[in-house]
Structures are given as C-alpha cells and as structure tokens.
Amino acid sequence: MEPIEIGLWVSGFMLLMVVLGMRVAFAAGIAGLVGLIWIFWAKKGYDPEDFGWALTVAVKTAGQVPHSKVASQALSLIPTFILIGYLAYYAGLTKALFDAAKRWVGWLPGGLAVSTVFATAGFAAVSGASVATSAVFARIAIPEMLKIGYDKRFAAGVVAAGGTLASLIPPSAILVIYAIIVEQDVGKLLLAGFIPGAFSALIYGGLIVVLALALPKFGPPVKGFTWKQRFAAIPPAFPIFFVVFIIIFFIYNPFGGDAWGTPTEGGALGAFVVFVMALLRGMGWAQLKDALLETAKLSAMIFTIIWGVLIYVRFLGFADLPGAFSDWITGLEQSPMLTLVLILLAYAVLGMFMDAIGMLLLTLPVVYPAVMALNGGEFVSAADSTFGMSGPMCAIWFGILVVKMAEFCLITPPIGLNCFVVAGVRDDVSVQDVFKGVTPFFIADAITIALLVAFPWIVLWLPSQV
C-alpha cells in the first residue's frame, strides 16, 4: 500500500474516533502513532520480524514532537494572554467596561445587548481566549439583560457570540497557533486581527439593532444616563485600553526602528501591568489563585491538543498527504476563488463536530499549502498572484478567514464550546437555549466572512503599514 493510501485510511480512522466522542488530542495522537508504525513497517514489506523495529522508530519519532514544537518561544504567548484576561476579570475591569458600554450605547434599540457585544470586544483586547470571555460576561451581562426583560435564550446567545470576538482581536491564542503552524510572523497576524475583529463587533451590533427595530419588545433600550455619567464611566474602564496600548507599542514601536521586544515579552509585560492593577484594586490571594488555576487549566488543554495533533501532523508529512491534496486542488478546473469558498464551507461543516483549535491544527498542514498553491506559491508577488496579493499577505488573509471560521465553529451545534461554557456558568439556561439564542449570529458571521473574502484590504491594510 502506498503512503498516501495509508494516510487516507489513518485519517478516516481518526475522524471516526472523533465522531464517536474521543477527544481530539487523543484521537490525533493515537492516529499519528498508528500511522507512523504502519508506514515504517510497510517500508520493510510487512515482515513480522521488523514490526518491533517499526514500533521503536515510530515511538521515537512521535516522542520527539511534543518537546521540539511546544518549546517554541512563540507558544509562550498563549498562557500570558490567557492570564491577562483572568487577571482583568478579578481586578474588576470587565464590570467597569460593561458599565461604560451600557452608558454610551444602551440608548440604542437592543442597547444592552449591543453594549454586551462592544464590552466583549473590549475585553477581547486583553484576553486571548474566547472561553474566558464568554464565562466572564455570562456572570456580568446576562443578569442585567434578564432584569429588563430580555429573552434568556437571546441574552445567553449574545454572550456566547460576543465571546468569539476574542479569537480575532489580539491578543488571540488561535492566531498565535495559526502563525506557528504555517510559520508566519506572529506580530503581523495579531495586528491583522484588529480591524476584522472590530468589523465583526459592528456587524453583530447592527444585527441586534435591526432585530430590536423589527420585533416589538425584543430588547428595550436603557435610557436616563446623563453626559456627566457617561464621561464618568470612562476612567474606570481606561486601564484595559492602557494595557492594549502598552502591548502594541512594545511589539511594534510606532516611533520607527527595531521593535522594543518580542510578542512574548509584550504579553508578559501586559500580564505584569494587569497584575499590578489588580493588586491596586484590592485583589486578594483567593482571586489570584483562581486566576492562576484557570489559566493553567485552559493552557494545559490547549497544549495537550497541540501535542496530540502535531504527532498526527508528523505522520502526514511521511504520508505526503499535504502535497497530494495541493496537487489535487490546483488541478481542479474551476475558479480558484470558488475553491477557496468551498474550503471555507468545509470548515463550517467540520466545525460542527470538532473544537476550533483541534480543527485548525488537524486541517492546516493539508489545507494551507493548497491555498498557497492556488495563489501561486509562498513567495509569489502580488502582480503574479491569483488573488492579487503576495504570498506572505495571502498567508495573513487566509489566516484571518480561517480563524473567523473557527469563531463560527465556537457557537455551532453540537460542539460549540462557548455555548457549553455559558450554560455551565448559568444554571437557569440550558445548552439548547444558548444554541437557539445564537442562531441570528450565524447570519452576521456569514456576512462578515463574505465581506472579508470580497474585500481583502479590510484584513491587509493594517499589517501592510508595518
């Protein structure tokens, strides 16, 4: 049997394990190890005496992967970004941000829901994890919306959908993972997420206003705040924007010359600044302990997925499945843009059965080379490319598109992680209620993705200035 055939059989075996309920990390790790044993044994003609040799070589090959890849400096960004979010919550910065948003935009139709979306976008700028964002605002925003008569399903759906914005708006753990897998500049990818993230928040807000105007009693506005009260709400929320300012300036040095530090160092500096703010606001040992434990749990989950999937990725390299898929994609007799759209639709379907990080880790080693080949290659110039952008810019554009698809998957049934988190925090809301509440946001996400595909400059303008 040829290596590519082995690759297809093992990949099917892995997907079967995932569908049957096995965690992605373990399914990928087992499939990768089995595939490596199969390929090495096949090279020896399936001689029974050589099975022990194939097993030994496969175990050594798989065993080298976790340390060699996870020891990457870029991955150290993930726990620092997550820690920033939890420390900000325990410092009371999230409540201040929500109060400010409520006073400034609460007067709109559906104003409290719009405030929640904008507040989650602001919090996403200091939190690298959508799960953390959803958990925090499930405690803060849902009670406020229920108090003035919002349907509990929609209130929960707003929080679950708003939490997905943390996937795009830097600092973003998923963008860091994408950058490492495809070996692109982490700083430029993080910068590229700002405008699409803000754009997504505006689309969400616009959808809520339209629904509130079309449906009576959908979301009553919150009125009665004076201009003095609105301006008074800004200083308590200002520390969040101060932290973002510090991280961005540290990484990109807007005054010219070399950057003042790496993204990893910027993340560590941001975590230290928020830690100091939390102490000044009265954070005690119990809150610090909770923040550190939550950060450790989420980081361990992400790193475990990375370990397992990278073993599978190493097997894919031996099977040459990425190269075969690239050749097949570029050989299709149809528009490259249509092919790209079909790939994004495939992500939407796959996201119904897999978590966002696992889905990206499993698919990108195969899909990314194919998309680059569609555009003309890794190093193609904009003038010679298919999509009208250079190889590095295409990598950034596709990264934002695929991470936006990962956002979409965080709220799609039956796996949508954000929906489970919101339901877990709120005893009065079931998972089914949250899934019903997020349904309108599928339309908003579809509109956002279509506009990002049609107008790549929304993604590429900011990173092109660096």
Side-chain angles (χ1 to χ4, degrees):
M1 188 175 291
E2 293 296 320
I4 291 177
E5 295 176 286
I6 295 174
L8 292 173
W9 276 104
V10 171
S11 297
F13 171 59
M14 183 202 65
L15 290 175
L16 177 62
M17 287 190 287
V18 171
V19 170
L20 291 176
M22 183 177 286
R23 297 287 185 183
V24 170
F26 304 118
I30 291 170
L33 181 59
V34 169
L36 288 170
I37 295 170
W38 191 348
I39 279 186
F40 292 139
W41 196 26
K43 289 182 178 180
K44 296 293 185 177
Y46 301 106
D47 188 332
E49 295 182 0
D50 290 319
F51 180 79
W53 170 86
L55 176 63
T56 302
V57 175
V59 169
K60 287 182 177 179
T61 303
Q64 294 170 355
V65 171
H67 177 266
S68 63
K69 295 295 184 181
V70 177
S72 165
Q73 185 190 44
L75 275 178
S76 61
L77 273 172
I78 294 175
T80 58
F81 284 173
I82 295 172
L83 179 60
I84 289 173
Y86 279 112
L87 287 174
Y89 169 66
Y90 286 109
L93 298 180
T94 49
K95 185 68 168 63
L97 189 65
F98 179 69
D99 287 342
K102 180 172 65 174
R103 295 186 186 190
W104 280 93
V105 300
W107 58 271
L108 290 168
L112 205 53
V114 177
S115 303
T116 301
V117 168
F118 289 170
T120 55
F123 182 67
V126 293
S127 172
S130 350
V131 172
T133 305
S134 296
V136 165
F137 280 90
R139 296 183 178 98
I140 296 172
I142 292 179
E144 294 275 349
M145 286 188 276
L146 295 181
K147 192 183 300 182
I148 65 169
Y150 274 79
D151 180 84
K152 68 176 182 179
R153 293 172 297 182
F154 184 72
V158 169
V159 172
T164 66
L165 296 172
S167 297
L168 267 186
I169 298 175
S172 163
I174 294 184
L175 273 176
V176 172
I177 292 170
Y178 172 86
I180 292 168
I181 295 172
V182 305
E183 299 181 347
Q184 292 295 324
D185 185 273
V186 175
K188 284 192 174 184
L189 270 162
L190 290 175
L191 196 62
F194 265 111
I195 294 178
F199 188 67
S200 294
L202 289 173
I203 295 288
Y204 280 175
L207 172 72
I208 293 168
V209 170
V210 170
L211 288 174
L213 289 172
L215 302 174
K217 299 181 180 179
F218 175 82
V222 180
K223 297 181 180 180
F225 292 111
T226 65
W227 283 104
K228 182 179 179 180
Q229 289 174 317
R230 288 171 180 166
F231 283 109
I234 294 177
F238 180 75
I240 282 187
F241 302 103
F242 178 64
V243 173
V244 176
F245 178 83
I246 287 177
I247 295 173
I248 296 302
F249 269 50
F250 188 79
I251 296 174
Y252 298 109
N253 186 7
F255 302 109
D258 295 335
W260 294 340
T262 65
T264 299
E265 292 165 343
L269 178 63
F272 175 74
V273 171
V274 177
F275 173 66
V276 172
M277 289 179 180
L279 291 179
L280 293 175
R281 285 171 171 257
M283 182 183 71
W285 167 247
Q287 289 83 11
L288 176 60
K289 179 183 175 182
D290 287 342
L292 293 174
L293 283 174
E294 292 298 327
T295 299
K297 289 177 185 178
L298 192 51
S299 299
M301 182 192 76
I302 292 173
F303 275 68
T304 302
I305 295 173
I306 293 173
W307 287 333
V309 171
L310 286 178
I311 294 172
Y312 171 71
V313 169
R314 179 63 61 91
F315 155 69
L316 288 181
F318 281 99
D320 195 30
L321 209 56
F325 185 72
S326 295
D327 292 341
W328 177 70
I329 286 291
T330 53
L332 293 175
E333 295 183 0
Q334 63 184 27
S335 164
M337 185 58 74
L338 175 60
T339 302
L340 177 65
V341 170
L342 292 175
I343 288 173
L344 295 177
L345 289 175
Y347 271 114
V349 174
L350 193 59
M352 296 180 182
F353 307 100
M354 298 178 67
D355 65 275
I357 294 175
M359 180 183 70
L360 294 190
L361 285 167
L362 286 174
T363 58
L364 283 174
V366 175
V367 174
Y368 174 77
V371 173
M372 290 298 102
L374 276 178
N375 190 49
E378 292 269 0
F379 306 105
V380 69
S381 66
D384 298 326
S385 66
T386 303
F387 298 132
M389 62 192 79
S390 66
M393 287 292 106
C394 183
I396 292 174
W397 177 56
F398 179 65
I400 298 300
L401 291 177
V402 82
V403 168
K404 183 60 189 175
M405 292 306 303
E407 282 188 4
F408 189 72
C409 300
L410 286 168
I411 55 174
T412 50
I415 303 295
L417 189 57
N418 280 18
C419 298
F420 281 93
V421 168
V422 172
V425 172
R426 299 288 308 181
D427 294 333
D428 55 338
V429 180
S430 68
V431 175
Q432 291 77 11
D433 288 335
V434 186
F435 278 127
K436 290 176 182 176
V438 298
T439 303
F441 294 96
F442 296 155
I443 300 171
D445 279 339
I447 293 171
T448 303
I449 292 165
L451 291 173
L452 295 180
V453 170
F455 305 103
W457 59 266
I458 299 174
V459 175
L460 300 178
W461 180 81
L462 197 55
S464 67
Q465 305 304 308
V466 178

mmCIF file of all heavy atoms in Angstrom, residues 88-103:
data_model
loop_
_atom_site.group_PDB
_atom_site.id
_atom_site.type_symbol
_atom_site.label_atom_id
_atom_site.label_comp_id
_atom_site.label_asym_id
_atom_site.label_seq_id
_atom_site.Cartn_x
_atom_site.Cartn_y
_atom_site.Cartn_z
ATOM 1 N N ALA A 88 -7.671 40.546 34.547
ATOM 2 C CA ALA A 88 -8.533 41.702 34.287
ATOM 3 C C ALA A 88 -9.919 41.492 34.891
ATOM 4 O O ALA A 88 -10.534 42.421 35.433
ATOM 5 C CB ALA A 88 -8.639 41.958 32.787
ATOM 6 N N TYR A 89 -10.401 40.262 34.817
ATOM 7 C CA TYR A 89 -11.711 39.964 35.407
ATOM 8 C C TYR A 89 -11.679 40.127 36.921
ATOM 9 O O TYR A 89 -12.547 40.792 37.513
ATOM 10 C CB TYR A 89 -12.133 38.541 35.043
ATOM 11 C CG TYR A 89 -13.333 38.058 35.826
ATOM 12 C CD1 TYR A 89 -14.578 38.647 35.648
ATOM 13 C CD2 TYR A 89 -13.213 37.023 36.749
ATOM 14 C CE1 TYR A 89 -15.691 38.213 36.370
ATOM 15 C CE2 TYR A 89 -14.307 36.580 37.472
ATOM 16 C CZ TYR A 89 -15.536 37.176 37.274
ATOM 17 O OH TYR A 89 -16.624 36.754 37.992
ATOM 18 N N TYR A 90 -10.670 39.542 37.553
ATOM 19 C CA TYR A 90 -10.608 39.610 39.016
ATOM 20 C C TYR A 90 -10.240 41.007 39.514
ATOM 21 O O TYR A 90 -10.439 41.328 40.691
ATOM 22 C CB TYR A 90 -9.633 38.562 39.551
ATOM 23 C CG TYR A 90 -10.198 37.168 39.480
ATOM 24 C CD1 TYR A 90 -9.710 36.236 38.562
ATOM 25 C CD2 TYR A 90 -11.244 36.788 40.308
ATOM 26 C CE1 TYR A 90 -10.242 34.966 38.478
ATOM 27 C CE2 TYR A 90 -11.793 35.509 40.229
ATOM 28 C CZ TYR A 90 -11.291 34.605 39.322
ATOM 29 O OH TYR A 90 -11.834 33.348 39.241
ATOM 30 N N ALA A 91 -9.701 41.845 38.619
ATOM 31 C CA ALA A 91 -9.423 43.235 39.002
ATOM 32 C C ALA A 91 -10.658 44.123 38.871
ATOM 33 O O ALA A 91 -10.621 45.302 39.210
ATOM 34 C CB ALA A 91 -8.301 43.798 38.129
ATOM 35 N N GLY A 92 -11.750 43.554 38.349
ATOM 36 C CA GLY A 92 -12.981 44.322 38.195
ATOM 37 C C GLY A 92 -13.019 45.167 36.938
ATOM 38 O O GLY A 92 -13.922 45.992 36.762
ATOM 39 N N LEU A 93 -12.061 44.959 36.032
ATOM 40 C CA LEU A 93 -12.011 45.789 34.822
ATOM 41 C C LEU A 93 -13.150 45.450 33.867
ATOM 42 O O LEU A 93 -13.631 46.313 33.135
ATOM 43 C CB LEU A 93 -10.664 45.600 34.122
ATOM 44 C CG LEU A 93 -9.419 46.012 34.918
ATOM 45 C CD1 LEU A 93 -8.153 45.767 34.098
ATOM 46 C CD2 LEU A 93 -9.506 47.484 35.309
ATOM 47 N N THR A 94 -13.595 44.196 33.862
ATOM 48 C CA THR A 94 -14.662 43.804 32.933
ATOM 49 C C THR A 94 -15.986 44.466 33.311
ATOM 50 O O THR A 94 -16.735 44.909 32.445
ATOM 51 C CB THR A 94 -14.824 42.275 32.932
ATOM 52 O OG1 THR A 94 -14.913 41.822 34.286
ATOM 53 C CG2 THR A 94 -13.640 41.616 32.277
ATOM 54 N N LYS A 95 -16.277 44.529 34.596
ATOM 55 C CA LYS A 95 -17.525 45.178 35.036
ATOM 56 C C LYS A 95 -17.509 46.663 34.683
ATOM 57 O O LYS A 95 -18.515 47.225 34.222
ATOM 58 C CB LYS A 95 -17.663 45.008 36.558
ATOM 59 C CG LYS A 95 -18.979 45.544 37.120
ATOM 60 C CD LYS A 95 -20.148 44.704 36.651
ATOM 61 C CE LYS A 95 -21.431 45.008 37.416
ATOM 62 N NZ LYS A 95 -21.930 46.356 37.258
ATOM 63 N N ALA A 96 -16.337 47.291 34.844
ATOM 64 C CA ALA A 96 -16.221 48.711 34.502
ATOM 65 C C ALA A 96 -16.410 48.924 33.005
ATOM 66 O O ALA A 96 -17.048 49.898 32.579
ATOM 67 C CB ALA A 96 -14.853 49.237 34.936
ATOM 68 N N LEU A 97 -15.886 48.003 32.209
ATOM 69 C CA LEU A 97 -16.022 48.116 30.755
ATOM 70 C C LEU A 97 -17.473 47.958 30.340
ATOM 71 O O LEU A 97 -17.976 48.703 29.484
ATOM 72 C CB LEU A 97 -15.148 47.041 30.088
ATOM 73 C CG LEU A 97 -14.987 47.113 28.578
ATOM 74 C CD1 LEU A 97 -14.241 48.380 28.173
ATOM 75 C CD2 LEU A 97 -14.223 45.896 28.072
ATOM 76 N N PHE A 98 -18.169 47.005 30.947
ATOM 77 C CA PHE A 98 -19.577 46.789 30.621
ATOM 78 C C PHE A 98 -20.421 47.998 31.019
ATOM 79 O O PHE A 98 -21.309 48.430 30.272
ATOM 80 C CB PHE A 98 -20.085 45.532 31.321
ATOM 81 C CG PHE A 98 -21.533 45.242 31.072
ATOM 82 C CD1 PHE A 98 -21.970 44.841 29.820
ATOM 83 C CD2 PHE A 98 -22.470 45.377 32.087
ATOM 84 C CE1 PHE A 98 -23.317 44.587 29.577
ATOM 85 C CE2 PHE A 98 -23.811 45.122 31.866
ATOM 86 C CZ PHE A 98 -24.236 44.721 30.611
ATOM 87 N N ASP A 99 -20.154 48.568 32.184
ATOM 88 C CA ASP A 99 -20.900 49.746 32.632
ATOM 89 C C ASP A 99 -20.692 50.928 31.682
ATOM 90 O O ASP A 99 -21.633 51.667 31.372
ATOM 91 C CB ASP A 99 -20.456 50.144 34.048
ATOM 92 C CG ASP A 99 -20.984 49.183 35.104
ATOM 93 O OD1 ASP A 99 -21.938 48.457 34.799
ATOM 94 O OD2 ASP A 99 -20.404 49.137 36.213
ATOM 95 N N ALA A 100 -19.454 51.104 31.217
ATOM 96 C CA ALA A 100 -19.174 52.199 30.284
ATOM 97 C C ALA A 100 -19.923 52.000 28.969
ATOM 98 O O ALA A 100 -20.530 52.939 28.437
ATOM 99 C CB ALA A 100 -17.667 52.305 30.038
ATOM 100 N N ALA A 101 -19.891 50.762 28.445
ATOM 101 C CA ALA A 101 -20.596 50.475 27.190
ATOM 102 C C ALA A 101 -22.095 50.689 27.360
ATOM 103 O O ALA A 101 -22.765 51.229 26.472
ATOM 104 C CB ALA A 101 -20.302 49.047 26.746
ATOM 105 N N LYS A 102 -22.637 50.285 28.508
ATOM 106 C CA LYS A 102 -24.078 50.439 28.755
ATOM 107 C C LYS A 102 -24.474 51.915 28.764
ATOM 108 O O LYS A 102 -25.517 52.288 28.225
ATOM 109 C CB LYS A 102 -24.421 49.778 30.097
ATOM 110 C CG LYS A 102 -25.894 49.878 30.470
ATOM 111 C CD LYS A 102 -26.206 49.032 31.700
ATOM 112 C CE LYS A 102 -25.494 49.550 32.928
ATOM 113 N NZ LYS A 102 -25.893 48.816 34.152
ATOM 114 N N ARG A 103 -23.661 52.746 29.371
ATOM 115 C CA ARG A 103 -23.997 54.171 29.454
ATOM 116 C C ARG A 103 -23.883 54.873 28.100
ATOM 117 O O ARG A 103 -24.616 55.827 27.836
ATOM 118 C CB ARG A 103 -23.091 54.857 30.479
ATOM 119 C CG ARG A 103 -23.311 54.354 31.896
ATOM 120 C CD ARG A 103 -22.514 55.138 32.911
ATOM 121 N NE ARG A 103 -22.620 54.554 34.246
ATOM 122 C CZ ARG A 103 -22.190 55.142 35.355
ATOM 123 N NH1 ARG A 103 -21.619 56.341 35.288
ATOM 124 N NH2 ARG A 103 -22.309 54.537 36.518
#
